[in-house]
Amino acid sequence: MKKEKTSLLRNGAVQTLLGSLLCILLGLLLGYVILMMINPAGANGAILAIVENFMTYSKPASQLRYFGSTLVKTAPLLMCSLSVLFAYKVGLFNIGAAGQYVVGTGAALYCALGLKLPWFLCLIAAVLAGAALGAVSGVLKSYCNVNEVISCIMLNWISLYSVNMLLTKVKEETSPYTYTLSSTNEGALLPSLGLGGLFNKNQYVGLAIPLAIVTAVLVWVLLEKTKLGYELKATGCNKYAAKYCGMRERKNLILTMAIAGGLAGMGAAMLFLSGFEQWQCTQSAVPAMGFNGIAAAFLGGLNPIGAIFSSYFIQHITNGGAYVDKTMYSSQISDVISALIIYLCAFVLFFKIALNRWLDRRDEKRQAAAGKGGDGK
Amino acid sequence: MILLLQYTLIFASVLLLVALGGCFSEHSGVINIGLEGIMVMGALGGALMMKFLPESTPAFGMILLVVLAAILLGMAYSLLLAVAAINFKADQTLVGTAMNLLGTAAATVFVKAMNTAESVDNVSSTIQYINAKKAFLVNIGSFEFNWFMLLAALALVGSYVSLYKTRFGLRLMACGEHPQAADSVGINVYRMRYAGVLISGLLGGLGGIVYITAGVSEWKFENGVAGFGFLALAVMIFGQWKPTRIALAALLFGFCRALGNVYSGFDFLKNLEIPAAMYNMLPYIISLVVLAFTSKKSRAPKAEGVPYDKGQR
């Protein structure tokens, strides 16, 4: 009986899950401590509000509606986290998911509002734009030896400023926001597939959510079950060995970044083509979506299926932040909690090593004890 | 014209300070992506000090205390990176990203909570320091000299001397190039890396307070530092991890940023009708192009980003 328990703890997936849960618990705990420091009176209510999110509403109808809204923002987050984890599996840190998300937004909205194209073309344009930006980092990495983290950071800001310039052409006269899709080009809205009806007529819920989940599964299949995925991972492990084995390591690097970029770009289209948000053309910071994607990817144990759950969780508490008592706290408290969770995720590797070491020691002791018992006879 | 010079110098001071910070950290072998977050924290420390010091504080005392507060908070915050990257061998890029997100979010939460505690209707994330800010400025004609410019110049000299002319600096750089070799001659790699990260916290925090006092007399913490931490990373790479070259790069990039702010004052630039975003974008494009041409023989510290493990062969 006990032996089975040991083997369970030694299982990699179980360890990852444990690590992630530990991160979440510690993150929430630290968040609670911060709330206590700001104002002890409302801390309980506030942390509950964050964890409950839409469940704070008493009517099931509004609960469903706001559950839908959380899902609408989960889809792009999931795509960004897929982008990050895909690149990470190939040994690249795609901090540029944020920038690829931004150019995806630019392409999707400009095609929808400026060129008045239907939704599927806008979606494809966003994917291509993201992929192109990702490929730039890939080319710089493989041919010019530029570290992908650095080139991605530069590209993040370049894309933010260029997209601001581009979308200024399709913004409302009196506000810094782009036109709404429903007033300018209804054909660019993602089809609802009748899903909106399930969420108490939340018109923003639609194709994006199932599409994101299907993509997650496809990414898993690509990474784990195909020759291409194997080649990409091999290149990530050791590009010289991969080259020696006859793989085209440069092509693989570029392809990886292009796929990662395409995923993030598609995520942007999923949010902005739902009509849920408009782009603010005076934005002075790269949107946090791409960086939160990093959080979701690591929290999900760098597994596409895990990312589905972790993305939902991160978005759940982010939305929950809106329900804290505004007379005492601000909604950014949930950003603090998710940032803490990312920080803690960095310790997961260490946690696993420590856990394995502890298990080894325990087994050794047990063996020694068993050995001694035998000798004594 | 004088305005352009003034903005160039103050932006260059910010970039110089923060990039030197990054330079120390990377020379010790730790990549510091979290400079942006460190800047926000330093800015928060300095701004709080300016808010709460009585107006009658003499200018010298004011400068000293504000700088001290910014430095201390920046260093304390950089410990998050040091502990994770040095003791726990965590992924440095991941930790840095988390620190950037955490810095802005935590500062916003804190300032908002403080503001709402003062009056319930105030939900802004702004700290005002109109009067306190005057301590830093000396008007020479129409040129507004800022004491921070002097401080940045001192930091440059200090960094150059300590990196190249002292035992400490040379040891620090050894830890970033080949930590095993450094350890074999009796240098404590962990301690050196701690020193590198803490110095980056010191200079980053200082850069943060310089940044928020550069233009305006109040600061909205929701905005963070608008990418200056990342721009400083670009400056550091453009300067090939060498203090003197970093200074030149900081001047160039500061000039681009300043142009973005004041270009409408020049008739010929205004007539070109290039949007401000273009000038803001320019430094990033330049550094990307330069990187593309120079990275084949990069001068980056060889062991940066690799956690040091004593038992590793």
Side-chain angles (χ1 to χ4, degrees), chain A residues 34 38 88 93 95 136 140 142-147 149-155 157-159 161-162 164-165 250 284-285 288 291-292 294-295 298 326-337 339-340 342-343 345-347 349-350, chain B residues 31 33 36 79-81 83-84 87-91 93-95 97-99 101-102 105-106 108-110 112-113 116 120 123 222-223 226-227 230 233-234 237 257 275 277-278 280-281 283-285 287-288 291-293 295-296 298 304:
Chain A
I34 293 173
I38 295 173
Y88 198 84
F93 199 104
I95 204 170
V136 172
L140 285 173
S142 54
Y143 286 98
C144 308
N145 194 27
V146 181
N147 185 318
V149 173
I150 301 299
S151 69
C152 280
I153 289 175
M154 306 295 145
L155 287 171
W157 292 90
I158 294 174
S159 32
Y161 290 121
S162 353
N164 273 347
M165 275 195 280
R250 285 184 168 163
S284 68
F291 298 117
N292 281 338
I294 300 177
F298 279 87
K326 293 282 172 23
T327 56
M328 286 186 267
Y329 312 109
S330 53
S331 57
Q332 276 87 356
I333 184 72
S334 47
D335 295 347
V336 173
I337 294 177
L340 282 171
I342 316 183
Y343 181 72
C345 280
F347 293 87
L349 185 68
F350 187 83
Chain B
I31 296 181
I33 300 274
E36 181 109 350
L79 273 179
L80 281 182
L81 172 65
V83 170
N87 296 106
F88 289 91
K89 303 180 174 51
D91 187 315
T93 315
L94 182 61
V95 175
T97 311
M99 283 172 70
L101 294 174
L102 185 63
T108 312
V109 165
F110 183 77
K112 277 192 173 177
T116 31
V120 177
V123 288
E222 253 172 86
N223 293 342
F230 291 123
L233 273 182
I237 295 162
R257 269 283 159 138
M278 205 67 200
N280 289 336
M281 205 157 80
Y284 297 106
I285 297 180
S287 45
L288 203 57
L291 274 177
F293 285 107
S295 290
K296 281 269 178 194
S298 171
E304 68 168 8

Side-chain angles (χ1 to χ4, degrees), chain B residues 76-149:
Chain B
Y77 194 61
S78 69
L79 273 179
L80 281 182
L81 172 65
V83 170
I86 303 168
N87 296 106
F88 289 91
K89 303 180 174 51
D91 187 315
Q92 295 167 6
T93 315
L94 182 61
V95 175
T97 311
M99 283 172 70
N100 288 336
L101 294 174
L102 185 63
T104 312
T108 312
V109 165
F110 183 77
V111 175
K112 277 192 173 177
M114 198 178 67
N115 283 342
T116 31
E118 275 174 8
S119 82
V120 177
D121 301 325
N122 186 356
V123 288
S124 72
S125 59
T126 317
I127 293 185
Q128 293 190 342
Y129 38 79
I130 304 173
N131 290 316
K133 197 191 143 195
K134 288 178 187 147
F136 299 101
L137 304 173
V138 181
N139 283 316
I140 308 170
S142 57
F143 179 77
E144 243 181 22
F145 176 76
N146 191 321
W147 283 112
F148 284 132
M149 296 174 188

Side-chain angles (χ1 to χ4, degrees), chain A residues 86-150:
Chain A
F86 185 80
Y88 198 84
K89 286 269 177 181
V90 190
L92 298 166
F93 199 104
N94 184 18
I95 204 170
Q100 292 143 11
Y101 177 81
V102 170
V103 292
T105 311
L109 283 184
Y110 190 74
C111 286
L113 302 171
L115 307 175
K116 306 260 189 309
L117 296 174
W119 64 270
F120 54 91
L121 289 179
C122 300
L123 188 70
I124 292 171
V127 174
L128 290 180
L133 194 73
V136 172
S137 304
V139 169
L140 285 173
K141 167 97 179 173
S142 54
Y143 286 98
C144 308
N145 194 27
V146 181
N147 185 318
E148 80 281 2
V149 173
I150 301 299

Side-chain angles (χ1 to χ4, degrees), chain B residues 33-73:
Chain B
I33 300 274
L35 283 170
E36 181 109 350
I38 292 176
M39 280 178 78
V40 173
M41 279 298 161
L44 179 68
L48 285 177
M49 191 53 105
M50 284 197 276
K51 184 181 156 84
F52 287 116
L53 275 183
E55 275 181 36
S56 54
T57 320
F60 180 73
M62 174 76 91
I63 295 177
L64 193 71
L65 285 173
V66 168
V67 166
L68 215 60
I71 284 178
L72 281 180
L73 214 57

